[in-house]
């Protein structure tokens, strides 16, 4: 069912997943409950690369050969989903633990895997489709969900899928954001943030193309009901894109490994990984080339804006880059919950430690709400935050830093060593971070965390953790 030899394992490093995952995410977001949960809780708009890597790692754990790893990941996902419930903008309830909702997520992944092969001109043989469906049903069962939510046979699945598409899916706000806003405003991955012009040009070309390709690949009945326009030539563009991605499978082995690509997307500029240094060297050469081009073709003079003090960011920048994790323009509990979720995932915490960290962040949210929510609407706006110019280092934030230290200090020796440091920050341990000590002590850790969260200072380890996309 899982690991090497499975049908899914044969497709895991397939470059066509780059298109298929976008398509599956759109179909998920078109479900009213999933769409509501995404709008209220997800960081997919502000931190898409983080979300992509976390999804990849979760699939890798669930479809791997290690039963213990799979059971632990399933328990983690269930705890995460149990926290995602509420009411959407139309006052309709959503619950990420709803059995039908969870079955639909698995269904979109399976159907998009089959569709990506068909659209690229190399459809899976019927026996392989049957085998893949059995594996996805096993994945669904590993999550502990009710067996009757996904049909028992492949023939019954297609009837279920058609009914969901024709009767349940809607043109939700989350779906429209993914199709028409996400790629237009897609932030650069960490290693390309120093090349804003190059990234903006590439995004302006590729973003609309991905949107058109995704729309053209969606089921026709849903496109009609949702009023999604199919641009002239979009079908040809879609088939060409899937065919090109399919041909990339024949590149030398290892060139397009999903693990390698995910790691590159997650590398921070300050990482000690040799690949990060290689990409940074390439960045410097491209910057010099860009400077030479501007020298040859000078633009009209424009005064340079005043540069902030080294290491400082304004209150507005801090609110946007760090506090507003969901990107809706307000600070609410889901923003701090997103921080806790990322930290728990980085540290691979078990249930008791995870609960303590969430509780600490919940106390911090209540402290922030009491201090900053001047109009009493239950959220903190960017204006309320900037006007107060608060010192956020209250008792609850200090407690959050201490709980985070305890979670990172796996061996409980009151020091964070190199391995524990890397687990949290995904970068090498830097001696200068801890002044004269080779170990990260509790006091230094708490001081650095408070400096970042209340002093609005840029931080080499914390920016990739909480601010970068």
């Amino acid at each position: 069912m899982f690991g090497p030899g499975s049908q899914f394992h044969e497709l895991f490093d397939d470059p066509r997943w780059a298109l298929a995952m976008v398509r599956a995410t759109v179909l998920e977001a078109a479900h009213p409950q999933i769409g509501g949960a995404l709008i209220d809780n997800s960081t997919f708009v502000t931190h898409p690369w983080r979300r992509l890597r976390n999804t990849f790692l979760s699939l890798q754990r669930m479809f791997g050969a290690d039963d213990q790893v799979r059971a632990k990941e399933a328990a983690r996902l269930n705890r995460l989903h149990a926290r995602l419930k509420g009411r959407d903008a139309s006052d309709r309830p959503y619950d990420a633990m709803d059995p039908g909702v969870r079955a639909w997520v698995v269904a979109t992944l399976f159907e998009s895997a089959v569709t990506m092969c068909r659209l690229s001109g190399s459809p899976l043989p019927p026996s392989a489709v049957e085998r893949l469906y059995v594996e996805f049903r096993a994945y669904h069962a590993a999550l502990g969900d009710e067996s009757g939510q996904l049909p028992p046979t492949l023939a019954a699945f297609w009837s279920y899928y058609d009914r969901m598409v024709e009767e349940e899916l809607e043109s939700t706000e989350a779906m429209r954001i993914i199709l028409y806003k996400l790629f237009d405003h897609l932030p650069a991955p960490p290693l390309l943030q120093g090349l804003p012009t190059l990234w903006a040009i590439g995004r302006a070309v590729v973003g609309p193309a991905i949107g058109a390709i995704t729309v053209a690949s969606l089921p026709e009945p849903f496109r009609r009901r949702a009023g999604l326009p199919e641009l002239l030539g979009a079908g040809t563009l879609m088939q060409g894109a899937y065919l090109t991605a399919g041909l990339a499978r024949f590149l030398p082995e290892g060139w397009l490994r999903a693990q390698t690509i995910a790691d590159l997307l997650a590398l921070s500029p300050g990482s000690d990984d040799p690949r990060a240094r290689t990409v940074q060297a390439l960045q410097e050469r491209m910057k010099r080339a860009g400077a030479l081009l501007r020298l040859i073709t000078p633009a009209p003079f424009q005064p340079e804006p005043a540069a902030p003090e080294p290491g400082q960011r304004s209150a507005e920048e801090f609110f946007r880059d760090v506090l507003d994790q969901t990107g809706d323009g307000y600070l609410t509990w889901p923003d701090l919950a997103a921080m806790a979720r990322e930290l728990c995932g980085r540290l691979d915490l078990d249930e008791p430690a995870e609960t303590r960290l969430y509780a600490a962040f919940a106390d911090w949210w209540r402290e922030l709400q009491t201090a900053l929510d001047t109009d009493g609407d239950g959220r903190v706006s960017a204006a309320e935050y900037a006007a107060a110019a608060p010192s956020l280092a209250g008792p609850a934030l200090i407690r959050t830093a201490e709980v985070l230290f305890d979670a990172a200090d796996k061996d409980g020796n009151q020091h964070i060593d190199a391995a524990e440091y890397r687990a949290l920050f995904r970068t090498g341990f830097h001696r200068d971070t801890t002044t004269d000590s080779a170990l990260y002590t509790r006091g230094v850790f708490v001081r650095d965390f408070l400096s970042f969260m209340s002093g609005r200072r840029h931080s080499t380890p914390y920016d990739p953790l909480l601010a970068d996309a």
Side-chain angles (χ1 to χ4, degrees), residues 83 349-363 399-400 403-404 406-407:
R83 294 186 173 97
L349 299 183
D350 56 13
E351 192 279 331
E354 181 180 288
T355 299
R356 284 195 295 272
L357 190 60
Y358 268 95
F361 270 89
D363 290 342
R399 174 61 181 159
T400 300
V403 172
L404 178 58
D406 291 336

Side-chain angles (χ1 to χ4, degrees), residues 72-86:
K72 184 174 183 179
E73 178 64 11
R76 186 191 71 83
L77 289 173
N78 288 336
R79 294 195 303 270
L80 186 156
H81 291 154
R83 294 186 173 97
L84 302 181
K85 59 179 63 177

Side-chain angles (χ1 to χ4, degrees), residues 236-270:
T236 302
L237 177 63
M238 172 195 68
Q239 291 179 331
Y242 273 95
L243 179 60
T244 301
L247 292 175
R249 289 175 297 151
F250 300 105
L251 290 171
E253 186 177 357
W255 280 30
L256 288 175
R257 287 186 66 246
Q259 179 72 60
T260 301
I261 295 173
D263 288 344
L264 284 173
L265 289 176
L267 285 176
S268 61

Side-chain angles (χ1 to χ4, degrees), residues 402-453:
E402 292 176 338
V403 172
L404 178 58
F405 176 86
D406 291 336
D409 179 22
K410 294 288 189 180
D411 56 13
N413 67 352
Q414 297 302 303
H415 294 87
I416 292 179
D417 60 26
E420 292 166 341
Y421 187 94
R422 175 177 283 279
L424 178 59
F425 296 117
R426 291 190 186 138
T427 187
F429 187 88
H430 299 290
R431 188 182 180 91
D432 59 354
T433 303
T434 60
T435 61
D436 296 328
S437 175
L439 296 173
Y440 213 7
T441 63
R442 175 184 291 271
V444 174
F445 182 93
V446 171
R447 184 196 66 197
D448 285 356
F449 185 81
L450 296 181
S451 176
F452 176 72
M453 296 304 302

Side-chain angles (χ1 to χ4, degrees), residues 86-239:
R87 306 190 78 85
D88 65 14
S90 300
D91 202 34
R92 295 181 297 183
Y94 63 79
D95 184 350
M97 287 298 289
D98 182 283
V101 168
R102 285 156 66 91
W104 178 243
V105 172
V106 177
T108 60
L109 289 171
F110 164 72
E111 190 274 341
S112 290
V114 174
T115 299
M116 77 179 187
C117 296
R118 176 176 56 82
L119 293 178
S120 59
S122 55
L124 293 172
S127 60
V129 178
E130 289 273 6
R131 183 180 168 199
L132 188 63
Y133 184 61
V134 170
E135 292 169 6
F136 269 94
R137 288 193 74 233
Y139 165 55
H140 184 247
L143 291 171
D145 287 338
E146 302 171 16
S147 60
Q149 292 297 323
L150 278 179
T153 66
L154 183 60
F157 170 82
W158 294 120
S159 297
Y160 153 81
Y161 178 81
D162 290 341
R163 179 185 63 78
M164 290 292 295
V165 167
E166 294 175 7
E167 299 177 9
E168 298 292 334
L169 302 191
E170 300 177 2
S171 178
T172 65
E173 182 183 359
M175 183 206 74
R176 293 191 297 272
I177 287 175
I178 295 171
L179 285 175
Y180 301 118
K181 179 182 177 183
L182 178 60
F183 293 105
D184 286 346
H185 300 85
L186 187 68
L191 285 179
L192 293 180
Q193 288 179 352
L195 303 168
T197 303
L198 179 64
W199 177 254
I201 294 173
R203 184 181 58 195
V205 175
V206 176
I210 292 178
I213 290 168
T214 303
V215 169
S217 70
L218 296 175
E220 174 63 25
F222 176 64
R223 287 208 310 265
R224 288 198 306 268
R225 285 198 306 108
L228 297 175
E230 185 175 349
L231 301 178
L232 184 65
T236 302
L237 177 63
M238 172 195 68
Q239 291 179 331

Side-chain angles (χ1 to χ4, degrees), residues 46 65 105 155 159 173 239 252 272 321 326 340 354 460 468:
T46 52
V105 172
S159 297
E173 182 183 359
Q239 291 179 331
D272 61 332
D321 296 343
T326 59
E354 181 180 288
T460 299
D468 288 347

